[in-house]
Amino acid sequence: MTQTRNNIAFVRTADAPLLPAPRNMTGVVGWMRENLFPTPLNALASVLIGGFLIWQIWGVIDWALVRGVFFGEDREACITPPREGVQPGACWAFIGAKFHQFIYGFYPFEERWRVDVLAVVFAGLLAALAVPRVPYKLYTGITFVFGLPILAEILLYGGTFGLAAVDTNKWGGLLLTMVVAVSGIVLSLPLGVLLALGRRSEMPIVRYFCIAFIEIWRGVPLITVLFMASIMLPLFLPQGMNTDKMLRIIIGVALFSSAYMAETVRGGLQAIPKGQYEAAKALGLGYWRMTLLIILPQALKIVIPGIVNTFISLFKDTTLVLVVGLFDFLGIIQAGAADQKWVSAETARSGYFVAALVYWAFCFSVSRYSIHMERRLATGHRR
Amino acid sequence: MKLKLLSAVIGTALTMGVAGASAATLDDVKARGTLKCGVSQGLIGFSNPDEQNNWTGLDVDFCRAVAAAIFGDGKKVEFVPLDATQRFEALKSGEVDVLSRNTTWTMSRDTTGGMTFAGVTYYDGQGFMVKKSLGVDSALKLNGASVCTQTGTTTELNLADYFRANNMTYQVVAFQKNEEVLAAYNEGRCDVYTTDQSGLYAERLKLPDVENHVVLPEIISKEPLGPVVRQNDTQWFNLVRWTYYALLTAEELGVTQANSAEQLASSTNPEVARLLGKEGDFGKGLGVENDWVMKILAATGNYGEIFDRNVGEATKLGIKRGVNSLWKSGGLQYAPPIR
């Protein structure tokens, strides 16, 4: 035994240095091995789905960029093959020529700065509200809810302060989509909260009124509401008492989505344990203080996904205003594609592509922001 | 009992509303200062907005002609783009004063709907489009052809009738949607594409090779398109109708946008003098100024000019006058004399 001990020439006194993991277990290769090709079946699925995606994405890139037509005066540009035997792709020249119309509709050219000013103010206020670090949230909020509509009235509609009046039938495109969607959203949330509270009220008249309101508005399709607002209402009103069509549509959309909002909020109210109500009452809070300070902050936080869901569907439902003769973003693209100066095999397709992209961008950013809000407001009830 | 009362109230309100909207449209329009004209939401050659935010098209120009007759200014029109499903309600509820929206004149629409058609600004009907390479110049040579069409429309029935009446056989290739029909025709799955002729010209522009396709001259069904007004307002009906006739008469007499002033000054033709308001009180009879036709011509030109500018052979659509020629040239457009 001693012999062997003496024969040891080297005794390691420290740990051997850690070798890096095998190269095929780390980095991109390792990630792919672990996530894309762990078993033969998974590998096959990865190859098939990946191949399909690449094929599809290449198809879009080829159509949109490689074969796309970016410059041109009229449809000739979009029907001329870029090379021998190659079909021309997306007609971006059409989008370029009509872009201002997609944004402003028929808003007079010389008055468009008013829309731009409003858009900047809107974006600024929204950013001030959305970014947590910016102070004075309360004042910004009040300005947003009460000041902005007045400013929008003054700027968009005009007729005061030396601004020329622009009738609502000149509004269109993204401007109209935003006006209808934003006013619908801003009006429907408070209305929905009130209706949800009313539906849980202990006063029978309030409760039955709210139930009837919600069930009637939820029970009819939005398209019926729009028809009612645009065509039937003027029949009932006496001649000359014709309110603006756009206003009627906005009110219709807001009432319609407030019914959905009410049910979403009611879901949140029901999720609050009874103990919260009892604790609030035990502290001596009255109904309104209990609701505003204890119940609603918790309930609304729970239903953020539902509220955002309603917002997103309202935003997309604004495309329905086309059936009552208002040109929203999608409608004006369709009308533009019927211009014989531009009509070609790819014109309408390019227009729809842009429409899809814009709607998706709006809805996706709203959705991301709501996820951010959920995380920020999470107070550790997660298990 | 309550229900009955409620329905009675609503019924009265409805009839009052309708009555309110249809009485003396001309006075309403004059008081308002603009004509409200219902047009299509985007139909190639008939009504669509251009890049300068102006509406263009044959239906649109007719609205301008009516506005010019009333106000002496073709710009005093508010265009209300209407969906096919709501167009009649919009007219009846008074949201528009005249509906100029490629609407087919049928008996049921004319007699039961509380509306009246004022004329036919465009004689449409089902036609055929073929590839030029087939070498076919008449629909009667289509024996044995395969025909692409939309399912469940009268188009399919008309097609069957036409081929049977002419002792020809055919094979139908039908699709649910218009885009599918065009795609199938483009891919060569059929020899012939059939739908309304104005539609054929419009769809042709969506093909990658417009010049290789030709629309055959035959029209096998009747689709007269024209302006519609509310019933029970004869004065307004007359104004819209005679605006249309004035456009035709001007073309017949060779009075155009460019030469109307010269014609007014120098023409010795009594018909021209009556048309342009130098003789008689024809405008007054309609409730407008006597120089109404001068104003119409200044705004839009005569019927031929409107046709050529919007859908005619010089445009990208390239529709031939065909049945829409004046009666003198063998077409169907005919106006009673202004006398």
Side-chain angles (χ1 to χ4, degrees), chain B residues 272-284:
Chain B
V272 173
R274 284 194 294 269
L275 175 74
L276 299 182
K278 204 153 71 172
E279 275 176 33
D281 268 339
F282 298 102
K284 287 262 162 28

Side-chain angles (χ1 to χ4, degrees), chain A residues 133-144:
Chain A
R133 267 176 306 170
V134 182
Y136 306 120
K137 283 278 184 283
L138 183 64
Y139 301 112
T140 324
I142 291 172
T143 320
F144 189 83

Side-chain angles (χ1 to χ4, degrees), chain B residues 125-183:
Chain B
Q126 191 175 336
F128 301 98
M129 177 160 71
V130 294
K131 292 189 178 62
K132 260 188 191 156
S133 53
L134 280 184
V136 172
D137 58 354
S138 158
L140 294 168
K141 294 182 183 165
L142 288 176
N143 197 8
S146 56
V147 186
C148 277
T149 178
Q150 224 174 332
T151 47
T153 57
T154 48
T155 319
E156 226 177 332
L157 303 175
N158 293 336
L159 182 70
D161 288 351
Y162 182 75
F163 274 76
R164 207 175 58 184
N166 289 300
N167 266 327
M168 301 192 295
T169 59
Y170 72 105
Q171 231 185 330
V172 70
V173 186
F175 297 90
Q176 200 60 248
K177 283 181 170 174
N178 213 14
E179 293 81 38
E180 293 170 335
V181 185
L182 186 73

Side-chain angles (χ1 to χ4, degrees), chain A residues 74-75 87 97-98 100-101 105-107 109 112 169 227 230-231 235-236 239 245 322-325 327 335 338-345, chain B residues 10 13-14 17 20-21 41-45 48-53 55 78 81 83 85-86 89 93 95 205-206 208 210 310 315-317:
Chain A
D74 59 3
R75 68 186 291 277
Q87 285 300 329
K98 299 252 179 190
H100 64 87
Q101 206 172 58
F106 301 120
Y107 214 84
F109 288 94
R112 285 183 175 172
N169 65 27
F227 268 121
S230 88
I231 292 170
L235 281 179
F236 298 131
Q239 195 74 14
K245 182 161 151 187
L322 182 65
V323 299
V324 292
F327 276 134
D339 187 346
Q340 58 175 316
K341 188 178 166 195
W342 281 105
V343 62
S344 76
Chain B
I10 291 177
L14 261 174
Q41 288 175 327
L43 184 68
I44 302 171
N48 67 266
D50 72 4
E51 283 150 36
Q52 278 71 49
N53 291 350
W55 284 86
E78 182 185 317
D83 190 63
T85 51
Q86 58 146 181
E89 293 313 315
S93 70
E95 205 190 321
L205 287 176
K206 295 179 187 164
V210 179
N310 294 303
T315 65
K316 299 198 163 67
L317 273 173

